[in-house]
Amino acid sequence: MTETTHLTNDLQFELSKIGSTVRLQTENKSVIKMNYKDWAWAIVNSRSIEVSTFVGLDDKHLQLEESGIIACNSSTNDILEIATIIDKWLGKQLDIFQLADQHNSIKINKTYQDLKTLTVDEILQHRWTYFSEEITKGRISFRQDVFEEFRKHFSYLYPIFSHDNLLFSNVIEQINDDFKSPVVFCDKDIIWTGFFADNSKEEGKKAFKTKDIEQAVEMTKKLLPKDKHSTINPYTN
């Protein structure tokens, strides 16, 4: 176990010592030019890592990501173990389940685990149910009757809430820039569906208000992309 005095330098030293090809990087993706005392980062293809430490704490926090989704978190005060995990994740490209079997410190992120083990239909069902429960508990401000009606018609899409506004994606866990989703929000009486004027003047005209849930559903159908009505798992498609 090695005490760190400069996280980036010390971690790179451990990586080199075990013969790893991984090189820690700065935000501009160059080989170390700026050294960070308490933060380190690296990326290889779609995978990345972040390591951080905090004043007064011995443990270092390690986060592994793939395509922008957190695969796991790990905390340990053993910098050699951190270097070994990084090498296996970025250098040898082991999957997260192999790593978890080999390192007790690794806690797999449930969302990532679901993406790797469940079908698209199972993930969508869990997601819609989760938001329904959050609305019931008052953690999301959205009318329950509106949400359940939208669930009946759009359960094949991945729902996302942003500041109590509902929108959709056809890629699980990701907002797809090629899938322009209208935004839906509602208060006690009115349901609004459409695009915000600050997106573009033309899209800003595509916005509707109604008190009728079925009409709001039909309006949303018209605004959704016409040819992308199936949701994909970014790791299996």
Side-chain angles (χ1 to χ4, degrees):
M1 190 179 301
T2 305
E3 181 181 356
T4 54
T5 55
H6 195 296
L7 186 59
T8 301
N9 290 345
D10 294 349
L11 188 53
Q12 186 65 67
F13 176 78
E14 296 295 332
L15 285 164
S16 299
K17 192 165 68 175
I18 63 175
S20 176
T21 59
V22 176
R23 295 294 177 266
L24 301 179
Q25 299 173 324
T26 62
E27 290 185 31
N28 63 6
K29 298 184 180 180
S30 64
V31 176
I32 302 172
K33 292 183 179 178
M34 295 176 60
N35 294 320
Y36 295 88
K37 183 176 181 180
D38 50 18
W39 182 79
W41 177 75
I43 184 169
V44 175
N45 299 324
S46 63
R47 292 184 173 191
S48 64
I49 64 95
E50 288 187 24
V51 187
S52 55
T53 186
F54 302 95
V55 175
L57 297 177
D58 292 331
D59 278 358
K60 289 83 181 169
H61 178 75
L62 169 64
Q63 181 170 288
L64 309 183
E65 293 188 13
E66 183 177 359
S67 301
I69 299 173
I70 297 172
C72 84
N73 289 286
S74 173
S75 291
T76 177
N77 61 358
D78 190 337
I79 193 171
L80 176 57
E81 181 181 14
I82 292 175
T84 302
I85 293 172
I86 290 172
D87 179 58
K88 291 176 180 178
W89 178 249
L90 295 182
K92 298 181 173 64
Q93 297 282 302
L94 267 62
D95 69 42
I96 199 65
F97 304 104
Q98 290 175 296
L99 282 174
D101 285 341
Q102 297 171 14
H103 299 273
N104 293 331
S105 64
I106 286 180
K107 308 299 179 188
I108 301 175
N109 178 278
K110 186 179 185 306
T111 297
Y112 184 86
Q113 181 169 326
D114 288 349
L115 283 165
K116 291 290 187 176
T117 60
L118 300 181
T119 67
V120 167
D121 287 343
E122 287 173 329
I123 294 173
L124 290 176
Q125 183 179 353
H126 290 172
R127 179 76 167 185
W128 282 93
T129 299
Y130 167 76
F131 279 141
S132 180
E133 292 172 349
E134 290 294 284
I135 292 170
T136 299
K137 295 172 183 175
R139 293 172 180 165
I140 295 176
S141 180
F142 201 90
R143 277 171 49 190
Q144 192 86 49
D145 57 340
V146 175
F147 182 80
E148 296 303 335
E149 190 63 28
F150 269 70
R151 182 178 185 175
K152 291 178 186 176
H153 292 272
F154 304 110
S155 60
Y156 57 88
L157 292 173
Y158 188 77
I160 298 168
F161 267 101
S162 176
H163 303 292
D164 298 323
N165 299 327
L166 173 65
L167 60 155
F168 309 96
S169 178
N170 66 342
V171 181
I172 293 172
E173 279 296 318
Q174 297 178 6
I175 293 178
N176 183 3
D177 293 335
D178 294 327
F179 184 90
K180 287 189 176 181
S181 170
V183 177
V184 182
F185 66 83
C186 54
D187 57 21
K188 185 175 179 181
D189 299 312
I190 300 298
I191 307 165
W192 188 97
T193 180
F195 300 97
F196 293 114
D198 56 3
N199 290 346
S200 72
K201 290 184 179 179
E202 186 61 32
E203 286 191 339
K205 297 175 183 177
K206 301 175 183 177
F208 303 89
K209 291 182 180 180
T210 181
K211 294 184 178 182
D212 186 275
I213 298 178
E214 291 184 5
Q215 187 178 26
V217 168
E218 292 305 312
M219 290 174 177
T220 303
K221 286 180 179 178
K222 291 178 181 179
L223 293 175
L224 282 167
K226 304 299 181 187
D227 57 347
K228 298 180 180 179
H229 284 191
S230 61
T231 298
I232 64 172
N233 182 329
Y235 294 138
T236 58
N237 291 85

